[in-house]
Amino acid sequence: MKALPMEIARPYLLFLGDVPDALAAKTATGIVDWRKDWCVGQVRLDGCAADTGLKDMSISEGSAAGAKTMVIGAVNAGGRLPDHWVDSVVEALNAGLDVASGLHVKLGDVPAIKEAAAKNGRQLHDVRHNSMTFATGKGIKRPGKRILTVGTDCSVGKKYTALAMDKAMNERGYTSSFCATGQTGVFISGRGLSLDAVIADFIAGAAEWLSPATEEDHWQVVEGQGSLFHPSFAGVTLGLLHGSQPDGFIVCHEPTRSKMRGVETPLPTVDQVIDMTIQCGKLTNPGIRCVGIAVNTQALDDDEALALLAKLGERHGLPATDPIRYGMEAVVDKVSAEFGTP
Amino acid sequence: MKALPMEIARPYLLFLGDVPDALAAKTATGIVDWRKDWCVGQVRLDGCAADTGLKDMSISEGSAAGAKTMVIGAVNAGGRLPDHWVDSVVEALNAGLDVASGLHVKLGDVPAIKEAAAKNGRQLHDVRHNSMTFATGKGIKRPGKRILTVGTDCSVGKKYTALAMDKAMNERGYTSSFCATGQTGVFISGRGLSLDAVIADFIAGAAEWLSPATEEDHWQVVEGQGSLFHPSFAGVTLGLLHGSQPDGFIVCHEPTRSKMRGVETPLPTVDQVIDMTIQCGKLTNPGIRCVGIAVNTQALDDDEALALLAKLGERHGLPATDPIRYGMEAVVDKVSAEFGTP
């Protein structure tokens, strides 16, 4: 670990550009959902169809309001940085802000941005890229306790579940922190890395770095990535499982999906995910166990959702909940029963 | 897949530098073991203690003998490129050769080398680095048949076993090719990539690229990496397993080892590796099965070796062999029995 971890200065000014719909600004929305108090406002260009609900302001107004970093919280089609967004980034750097981006293109690869950052002595953060060097994973048990969210698929609520669990743990008197492994998560925690951008040899080592040794009674709630059953990304998932060496894990599931995201592979069952996670995870934490099931029930009405959760909970002898609809209390209860109260 | 695959022009001139022992030149030794007919000779500087047995020659003699690429087949302490090696690389470029390296340092990052390559219009190949872009893994079954070598640990003979199996398959009338996934393997095949240098998101996609669709009766024998049970590298292993979607796999094992390479984790059993490989591998190839066990018996005498192989073979109902001592015939027999003769 030769480079410093990425630490993004706060508060943020969120840049939404002129994206044509709300989905294109989901990074900004995620930040506001979880860290509204870290944000001074939003910058929207003419024609922007997204809205985080934050106060609209110009870049100079954001700077005057105390913003330290402008976060590009939207993606345009193709993931590129259009010329008129470059103008806004340069304006932010000239106004004394750092700039952080989750785009595929690196900010520093755009000459005008690179020059403006150098001229103003500002930082550029490309959270989708990673210039840190890591040790390879060691597999040795570290002090502290960890919970990892895993999934039957990609994009089934692993980040949201981890954030909700972290919040619920803290509210119940545990000391807990959220460990980010993806770009939106990094903005929400102010620290972390996009694990899928790490060189393959260092996945587990990077996961060890991002959930480091802590006080023995401190909990880290680690944002999961991919799925052990996803044919594109399972390697990242396994390296994260080995490196984060969780004591407990929460299985995240989306019940209306029949095929895994982006591929033709059928979804595994929750049973399969629990079994495989324990089989693989015990390599670095023999005590690993499932502490709950988090289901995105958005597509179901209340009766259907509650019936499904009851059925899943009973079958597995585990709390099953929808973090958004029904909270994480039941899973925290399970953690208390398994590992003790704070 | 936007860039061209790495294709290294042959024949090779092997550069051994002035390394202090034979082990430091193991890349060159591996090339000579398997592709002696691709090599015109070796270049050794004063004090070199390694010897591949090839004819010693100067760089200009190598060029006159028809060499197209000088391969740096040795590593010095620290994996860096010492100044006097840089002089030899520049000399090779000026003599009209391409240069290929498996060192951690990139050839093109050394200004004198970069300039000489540009001036002479020569290629630099850094097989440990990868500038290709890949699609993410698709998980769809491709035409052709594949065998993957897997291991109870790193460095247990997966490359050697794959090469021996490829050779034995071809000798028995199968059409077979070797798919390289590590640096020495790339030099031996003239194509491939260091899978552990790929960005984590693309491990499976890169594995799909390196074992592409072929004629239905063609066999690809894929060099394995790491181990599903190694806490540093299992993510690479799983992505390779999913992406190469093997029909058959061979478990490679080193019986005297008690801990996995570089870590404190105990070695898994051959049983565990077979079970986990089938459980994970059936995601992209439901017919996956083990076709043999390859044991490095170097530390055992003949009686001990044969007794161990007999015991392992009987326990698993599989051919167990040492590829170096006893060849791969028994494993080819098993492939014939399972999948038909050529």
Side-chain angles (χ1 to χ4, degrees):
Chain A
M1 298 173 287
K2 288 166 197 159
L4 287 171
M6 187 180 286
E7 300 271 3
I8 302 171
R10 303 189 296 261
Y12 300 154
L13 176 65
L14 301 187
F15 177 79
L16 273 61
D18 49 359
V19 291
D21 56 47
L23 192 65
K26 68 175 185 173
T27 297
T29 311
I31 297 169
V32 174
D33 280 348
W34 294 100
R35 298 292 185 260
K36 193 171 182 175
D37 53 329
W38 289 6
C39 304
V40 301
Q42 66 183 6
V43 174
R44 300 197 292 167
L45 304 181
D46 285 349
C48 182
D51 185 0
T52 64
L54 292 175
K55 190 178 170 191
D56 282 300
M57 48 182 71
S58 68
I59 289 170
S60 60
E61 286 167 345
S63 175
K68 293 278 183 292
T69 302
M70 184 169 90
V71 174
I72 300 177
V75 286
N76 77 322
R80 312 307 298 175
L81 194 61
D83 287 344
H84 59 297
W85 291 24
V86 171
D87 295 342
S88 296
V89 171
V90 170
E91 186 184 340
L93 293 164
N94 287 336
L97 303 186
D98 293 344
V99 177
S101 156
L103 299 175
H104 276 289
V105 62
K106 284 170 104 161
L107 293 171
D109 285 349
V110 180
I113 293 175
K114 189 178 176 183
E115 282 166 31
K119 189 183 74 182
N120 295 290
R122 305 321 314 163
Q123 297 288 317
L124 300 174
H125 299 289
D126 288 293
V127 304
R128 213 185 260 272
H129 298 271
N130 165 53
S131 56
M132 295 172 59
T133 52
F134 298 95
T136 53
K138 292 288 161 267
I140 297 167
K141 193 83 184 68
R142 300 185 291 285
K145 293 210 161 45
R146 287 163 198 89
I147 288 172
L148 174 68
T149 54
V150 303
T152 52
D153 194 4
C154 302
S155 306
V156 288
K158 290 186 288 289
K159 177 182 76 242
Y160 195 101
T161 300
L163 283 159
M165 186 66 185
D166 172 53
K167 188 160 179 274
M169 297 274 291
N170 278 306
E171 285 169 358
R172 284 275 285 273
Y174 290 93
T175 63
S176 164
S177 53
F178 167 72
C179 298
T181 62
Q183 51 165 331
T184 302
V186 172
F187 293 130
I188 292 171
S189 78
R191 179 185 186 275
L193 54 87
S194 278
L195 195 65
D196 57 13
V198 167
I199 297 290
D201 236 4
F202 302 102
I203 306 171
E208 292 183 359
W209 170 82
L210 64 80
S211 58
T214 66
E215 298 297 309
E216 196 52 75
D217 62 349
H218 184 88
W219 286 83
Q220 291 171 327
V221 186
V222 182
E223 174 191 6
Q225 289 293 332
S227 165
L228 288 174
F229 291 87
H230 197 294
S232 311
F233 308 119
V236 176
T237 311
L238 183 60
L240 175 55
L241 176 59
H242 284 159
S244 64
Q245 52 181 232
D247 301 278
F249 64 92
I250 302 167
V251 179
C252 303
H253 181 56
E254 207 284 70
T256 65
R257 221 173 277 181
S258 63
K259 288 177 179 174
M260 303 191 82
R261 193 175 160 91
V263 293
E264 293 298 308
T265 312
L267 227 65
T269 64
V270 171
D271 298 68
Q272 287 177 301
V273 172
I274 292 175
D275 288 351
M276 186 67 89
T277 302
I278 291 172
Q279 277 191 67
C280 294
K282 67 186 180 189
L283 184 76
T284 56
N285 190 338
I288 186 171
R289 69 198 81 168
C290 187
V291 294
I293 302 166
V295 184
N296 177 347
T297 62
Q298 199 168 12
L300 310 179
D301 68 28
D302 244 346
D303 287 348
E304 290 169 332
L306 290 169
L308 174 66
L309 294 173
K311 195 176 99 182
L312 277 171
E314 194 169 330
R315 185 191 306 158
H316 299 284
L318 287 167
T321 184
D322 179 324
I324 297 183
R325 260 169 131 157
Y326 309 115
M328 294 302 286
E329 286 300 305
V331 184
V332 181
D333 289 342
K334 177 70 174 171
V335 168
S336 297
E338 293 283 329
F339 300 98
T341 48
Chain B
M1 300 175 285
K2 288 167 196 155
L4 287 171
M6 189 180 285
E7 300 271 4
I8 302 171
R10 303 188 296 259
Y12 300 154
L13 176 66
L14 301 187
F15 177 80
L16 273 60
D18 49 0
V19 291
D21 55 47
L23 192 64
K26 70 174 184 173
T27 297
T29 312
I31 297 170
V32 174
D33 280 349
W34 294 101
R35 298 290 186 262
K36 193 171 181 176
D37 53 329
W38 290 6
C39 303
V40 301
Q42 66 183 7
V43 175
R44 300 197 292 168
L45 304 181
D46 284 351
C48 183
D51 185 0
T52 64
L54 292 175
K55 190 177 170 191
D56 282 301
M57 48 181 71
S58 68
I59 288 170
S60 60
E61 287 167 344
S63 174
K68 293 277 184 292
T69 302
M70 184 169 90
V71 174
I72 301 177
V75 285
N76 76 322
R80 314 306 301 174
L81 194 61
D83 288 344
H84 59 296
W85 290 24
V86 171
D87 296 342
S88 296
V89 171
V90 170
E91 186 185 341
L93 293 165
N94 287 336
L97 303 186
D98 293 343
V99 178
S101 157
L103 300 175
H104 276 289
V105 61
K106 283 170 104 163
L107 292 171
D109 285 350
V110 181
I113 293 175
K114 188 178 177 183
E115 283 166 30
K119 190 183 73 181
N120 295 289
R122 304 322 313 164
Q123 296 288 318
L124 299 174
H125 299 289
D126 287 292
V127 304
R128 212 185 261 272
H129 298 271
N130 165 53
S131 57
M132 294 172 60
T133 52
F134 298 96
T136 53
K138 292 286 162 268
I140 297 166
K141 193 82 184 69
R142 300 185 290 285
K145 292 208 161 44
R146 288 163 197 89
I147 288 172
L148 174 68
T149 54
V150 302
T152 51
D153 195 2
C154 302
S155 305
V156 287
K158 290 186 288 289
K159 178 181 75 242
Y160 195 102
T161 300
L163 284 159
M165 186 65 185
D166 172 54
K167 188 160 179 273
M169 296 274 291
N170 277 305
E171 286 168 359
R172 285 275 285 273
Y174 291 92
T175 62
S176 164
S177 53
F178 167 73
C179 298
T181 61
Q183 51 166 331
T184 303
V186 173
F187 293 131
I188 291 171
S189 77
R191 179 185 185 276
L193 55 88
S194 279
L195 195 66
D196 57 13
V198 168
I199 297 291
D201 236 5
F202 302 101
I203 306 171
E208 291 184 359
W209 170 82
L210 64 79
S211 58
T214 67
E215 297 296 309
E216 196 52 74
D217 62 349
H218 184 88
W219 286 82
Q220 291 171 326
V221 186
V222 182
E223 174 191 7
Q225 290 293 332
S227 166
L228 287 174
F229 291 87
H230 197 294
S232 311
F233 308 119
V236 177
T237 311
L238 183 59
L240 175 55
L241 175 59
H242 284 161
S244 64
Q245 51 182 231
D247 301 278
F249 64 92
I250 302 167
V251 179
C252 303
H253 181 56
E254 208 284 69
T256 65
R257 219 174 278 183
S258 63
K259 286 177 179 174
M260 303 192 84
R261 192 175 162 91
V263 293
E264 293 299 307
T265 312
L267 228 64
T269 64
V270 171
D271 299 67
Q272 287 176 302
V273 173
I274 292 175
D275 288 350
M276 187 67 90
T277 303
I278 291 173
Q279 276 191 67
C280 294
K282 68 186 178 187
L283 184 75
T284 56
N285 190 338
I288 186 172
R289 67 199 83 169
C290 187
V291 294
I293 302 165
V295 184
N296 177 347
T297 62
Q298 199 167 14
L300 310 179
D301 68 27
D302 244 347
D303 286 349
E304 291 170 331
L306 289 169
L308 175 66
L309 293 173
K311 195 176 100 182
L312 277 172
E314 195 170 327
R315 185 193 304 160
H316 299 284
L318 287 167
T321 184
D322 180 326
I324 297 183
R325 259 169 132 157
Y326 308 116
M328 293 302 286
E329 286 299 305
V331 184
V332 181
D333 289 342
K334 177 70 174 170
V335 168
S336 297
E338 293 283 329
F339 299 97
T341 49

